[in-house]
């Protein structure tokens, strides 16, 4: 078994790092469209405009590719959440709505967006610990933002309640705008 970093290029990868990012974005779109099991390396290579041997040069297996694509997407989401919550010049409720939008809202209502979340949720055994560590990190970021701004000792239960609300809304609403509107109401009630 190889290490988790075995398929990662060195930090100085330069243009190859950009190519890897593009391949992973194409892979995530392809996995979202067809599901993990029905997606072939050939389909990902075609979507990424790369040869199949070139794809195998970057990623030794479909499982490794899938794990890397999901990890990149979650890392991108968490980085966006960190940036939004760090902007202390904006009111906390506004930052929380935007943070939840970056984490979950953008996966509501658009083409393939629901499918991207579904393909992740349906394959936790392939993804390993990332499906647990990323949501924990999101909860930690929201909890810290609430605690810093409001000084409430109950920051963790409020954060957990907002996360539960977000999860419920994702399954109830059909548009990103409606998700954000209802989430803003919940944040207003809890803060």
């Amino acid at each position: 078994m190889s290490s988790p970093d075995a398929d990662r290029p060195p930090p100085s990868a330069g243009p190859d790092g950009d190519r890897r990012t593009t391949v992973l974005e194409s892979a995530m779109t392809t996995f979202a469209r067809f599901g993990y099991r029905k997606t072939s390396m050939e389909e990902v290579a075609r979507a990424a405009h790369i040869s199949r041997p070139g794809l195998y040069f970057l990623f030794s297996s479909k499982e490794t590719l899938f794990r890397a694509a999901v990890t990149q997407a979650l890392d991108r989401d968490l980085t966006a959440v960190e940036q939004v919550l760090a902007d202390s010049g904006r009111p906390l409720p506004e930052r929380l709505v935007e943070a939840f939008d970056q984490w979950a809202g953008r996966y509501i209502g658009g083409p393939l967006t629901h499918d991207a979340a579904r393909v992740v949720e349906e394959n936790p055994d392939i993804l390993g610990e990332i499906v647990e560590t990323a949501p924990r990190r999101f909860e930690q970021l929201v909890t810290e933002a609430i605690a810093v701004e409001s000084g409430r000792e109950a920051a963790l239960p409020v954060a957990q309640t907002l996360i539960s609300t977000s999860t419920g809304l994702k399954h109830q609403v059909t548009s990103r705008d409606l998700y954000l509107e209802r989430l803003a109401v919940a944040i207003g009630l809890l803060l």
Side-chain angles (χ1 to χ4, degrees):
M1 179 170 204
S2 63
S3 72
D5 294 330
D7 287 358
R8 287 198 177 140
S12 61
D16 289 340
D18 292 339
R19 181 180 189 123
R20 179 183 165 85
T21 298
T22 301
V23 167
L24 291 174
E25 288 170 359
S26 296
M28 195 66 218
T29 301
T30 306
F31 284 121
R33 180 175 291 129
F34 300 113
Y36 175 78
R37 296 197 195 302
K38 292 182 181 177
T39 296
S40 70
M41 292 292 272
E42 180 68 34
E43 288 163 335
V44 173
R46 195 174 19 252
H49 306 289
I50 187 174
S51 68
R52 198 173 70 168
L55 181 60
Y56 275 108
F57 178 76
L58 291 172
F59 302 97
S60 60
S61 68
K62 182 169 86 167
E63 184 176 308
T64 304
L65 172 63
F66 181 61
R67 203 175 296 125
V70 171
T71 299
Q72 176 179 282
L74 291 173
D75 286 347
R76 180 197 57 229
D77 293 349
L78 286 171
T79 297
V81 167
E82 286 175 345
Q83 291 171 349
V84 166
L85 293 176
D87 183 4
S88 60
R90 294 172 48 207
L92 177 61
E94 183 180 306
R95 288 184 286 143
L96 285 171
V97 168
E98 188 175 341
F100 274 92
D101 186 37
Q102 291 295 324
W103 181 249
R106 60 190 211 85
Y107 294 104
I108 299 170
L112 297 181
T113 53
H114 176 71
D115 296 330
R118 185 179 44 79
V119 78
V120 170
E121 291 168 3
E122 290 177 352
N123 295 285
D125 52 324
I126 296 169
L127 293 170
E129 69 180 32
I130 188 73
V131 294
E132 295 175 12
T133 58
R136 273 198 308 264
R137 179 67 181 138
F138 177 72
E139 178 183 285
Q140 181 183 34
L141 290 167
V142 171
T143 302
E144 289 170 3
I146 293 169
V148 166
E149 278 298 310
S150 66
R152 292 185 186 185
E153 289 182 17
L156 179 60
V158 170
Q160 290 171 331
T161 301
L162 288 174
I163 290 167
S164 295
T165 301
S166 170
T167 301
L169 287 173
K170 282 183 359 184
H171 298 287
Q172 291 177 358
V173 300
T174 56
S175 75
R176 185 178 187 176
D177 289 339
L178 187 54
Y179 166 82
L180 294 173
E181 182 182 305
R182 291 182 60 190
L183 185 66
V185 170
I187 289 170
L189 290 171
L190 289 170
L191 293 183

